[in-house]
Amino acid sequence: MLTKYRPVTLLCHRKMSFCLGILLLFFGHIKGQEFFFSGNQVKQSMPFKSIKNLIVIPIFINGKGPYDFILDTGVGPMIVTDPSIIDDLDFSMLRKIKVTGLGVETVEAFVSQNINASIGRAKIEHIPTAILKEDLFNLSGHLGIKVYGLIGFNFFNSFMVDVRYSENRIIFSYPYSKIKYRGKKVPIEIENLKPFITADVQIQDSGLFRGKFLMDTGASHAVSMEMINGGEVPIPEKRIKANLGMSISGQIDGFIARVHQVSIGDQVFTDVVAGFPDYKTIADKVDLSKRNGNLGADLLRKFDIQFNYQQKFIYLKPNKYARLPFEHDMVGMVVYLDQQQFKRFLIGEIDENSPAEKAGLCVRDEIIGVNFKPVDGYTLNDLTELFKSSNTRNVILEVFRDDRVFYVVVKLEKRI
């Protein structure tokens, strides 16, 4: 069984991840495959796109590309989420498997160890890869650019990876090369090909508790609270209902609220926006005995982070984002790009009693203008930032519905 749950305030709430289980049966000893430089090179620097807090980098597959992938500490084998890549490449020796969640839904996927990849001038041969037959999670639509998948462990385990969120740049070098580390050294654990860190959390007025958290650069939220003291996490009274993610077997419901304090390394953050997934639902999908939650990119981006998987430590250096407050969407709706007509901005979900609902917006409305400017002048990232920009701010949307065009004024509201 391949079950995956990833808390999402990710990609506007759509992302999938795999537990390793059956994949390891197909891929064998996954740790054997590593990226390498040709010749005497030991280091490279390259820019990345930052979209909804996520790191998007170009990858060449079997010499073709580039294809945009998310650089994601939360995945093990490389995952191809957009099956159109299969039409572009001459994959051989693909083995078909059935991927099932906890429900009745079954999805076809392919696994392969016959794929070569390169990131910059670093290459890997026979990288373990899972390829979904259907793009169930619409990563491209929710990010606004064509995204083909996710890559994680094989890259991070091959190099010391310096993620400079402050510069939208990664610098990767062999762990044994001469490296200048910056900031606070913090130990990590590598389990199931993923990094875990200890953090102190104070949810409300109660005392701090020390927990174990997955470091997840592929989730755009700040924090997901999943378990405390072997059971359900108490949720603050001021909260809003939310769709927090997707698993193969369906939607993960829960709440968004603020926790009083999160401490990581020697840095303390207050009033942190956190997700509280329904405990019973995720306890059936995830082994919560091994973690208390998940730290996502909205928190991680406040540091420049140097990952050293092989020696099991990171260095954390607070950057220009460290003092920025944590903010949540103030409009209460999900906007995505129609993949058939890629520049159509459509409304996918609307929260109950949200500013979007109060303004009369509906699911499947098309946004064709924002503040009297054509929507072509905006990216999805622009709209995400606009919709959490300022409490009580008015945003004027030009909307197309049922063959007519009209204007809607949405007053942003800080709901938590």
Side-chain angles (χ1 to χ4, degrees), residues 42-300:
V42 297
K43 178 179 180 180
Q44 185 176 355
S45 172
M46 65 182 292
F48 65 80
K49 301 172 188 173
S50 178
I51 303 176
K52 298 186 179 181
N53 299 328
L54 305 182
I55 301 167
V56 180
I57 60 171
I59 298 180
F60 284 83
I61 308 290
N62 290 351
K64 298 181 180 179
Y67 303 103
D68 277 336
F69 273 62
I70 297 168
L71 185 59
D72 185 352
T73 53
V75 299
M78 184 167 73
I79 301 173
V80 174
T81 57
D82 189 325
S84 67
I85 198 171
I86 299 173
D87 298 329
D88 297 339
L89 303 172
D90 182 21
F91 285 115
S92 62
M93 299 176 64
L94 287 182
R95 183 166 184 177
K96 185 183 295 186
I97 62 171
K98 297 288 186 180
V99 180
T100 58
L102 296 177
V104 297
E105 182 179 2
T106 299
V107 178
E108 286 189 347
F110 299 91
V111 292
S112 176
Q113 278 188 295
N114 198 39
I115 294 173
N116 301 328
S118 60
I119 297 175
R121 291 185 292 276
K123 301 177 181 179
I124 187 171
E125 298 174 350
H126 309 299
I127 183 170
T129 305
I131 305 167
L132 297 184
K133 188 175 180 181
E134 302 175 45
D135 184 9
L136 301 175
F137 300 91
N138 191 17
L139 300 187
S140 299
H142 288 291
L143 281 182
I145 65 170
K146 194 69 171 176
V147 174
Y148 290 88
L150 311 100
I151 190 166
F153 175 80
N154 293 94
F155 183 72
F156 281 96
N157 195 53
S158 302
F159 301 111
M160 191 288 294
V161 182
D162 187 347
V163 178
R164 300 195 179 184
Y165 283 105
S166 60
E167 303 172 16
N168 288 351
R169 178 170 295 278
I170 59 171
I171 301 170
F172 46 103
S173 55
Y174 286 135
Y176 58 76
S177 62
K178 187 175 181 180
I179 297 169
K180 182 178 180 180
Y181 287 104
R182 306 177 306 150
K184 171 76 172 178
K185 185 178 182 180
V186 179
I188 60 172
E189 299 177 37
I190 305 298
E191 295 182 6
N192 290 334
L193 315 184
K194 302 171 186 178
F196 290 82
I197 192 169
T198 298
D200 293 322
V201 179
Q202 182 178 5
I203 296 177
Q204 299 184 83
D205 295 330
S206 57
L208 289 172
F209 88 92
R210 177 157 291 184
K212 182 177 179 180
F213 292 83
L214 170 66
M215 297 185 72
D216 195 346
T217 62
S220 60
H221 61 254
V223 179
S224 176
M225 299 299 305
E226 298 166 0
M227 180 272 288
I228 183 171
N229 298 326
E232 192 168 353
V233 181
I235 306 172
E237 290 185 10
K238 188 173 184 181
R239 60 197 181 190
I240 55 177
K241 292 184 67 175
N243 167 17
L244 299 177
M246 291 294 289
S247 72
I248 289 173
S249 50
Q251 178 174 303
I252 303 294
D253 293 319
F255 294 91
I256 298 288
R258 290 182 182 268
V259 298
H260 179 66
Q261 181 176 307
V262 176
S263 302
I264 175 174
D266 56 4
Q267 196 74 12
V268 178
F269 300 100
T270 58
D271 273 345
V272 182
V273 175
F276 293 79
D278 178 73
Y279 176 78
K280 186 178 186 306
T281 303
I282 65 165
D284 289 338
K285 295 175 167 63
V286 179
D287 183 2
L288 294 182
S289 67
K290 299 186 182 301
R291 75 188 200 197
N292 297 96
N294 171 297
L295 302 182
D298 195 30
L299 185 146
L300 298 178

Side-chain angles (χ1 to χ4, degrees), residues 372-401:
F372 303 108
K373 297 178 182 178
V375 77
D376 289 352
Y378 294 85
T379 66
L380 271 180
N381 210 48
D382 294 335
L383 294 186
T384 299
E385 293 304 313
L386 176 63
F387 291 159
K388 61 180 182 180
S389 59
S390 179
N391 189 36
T392 73
R393 177 178 183 172
N394 288 328
V395 176
I396 302 170
L397 302 179
E398 187 177 1
V399 176
F400 178 78
R401 181 199 303 165

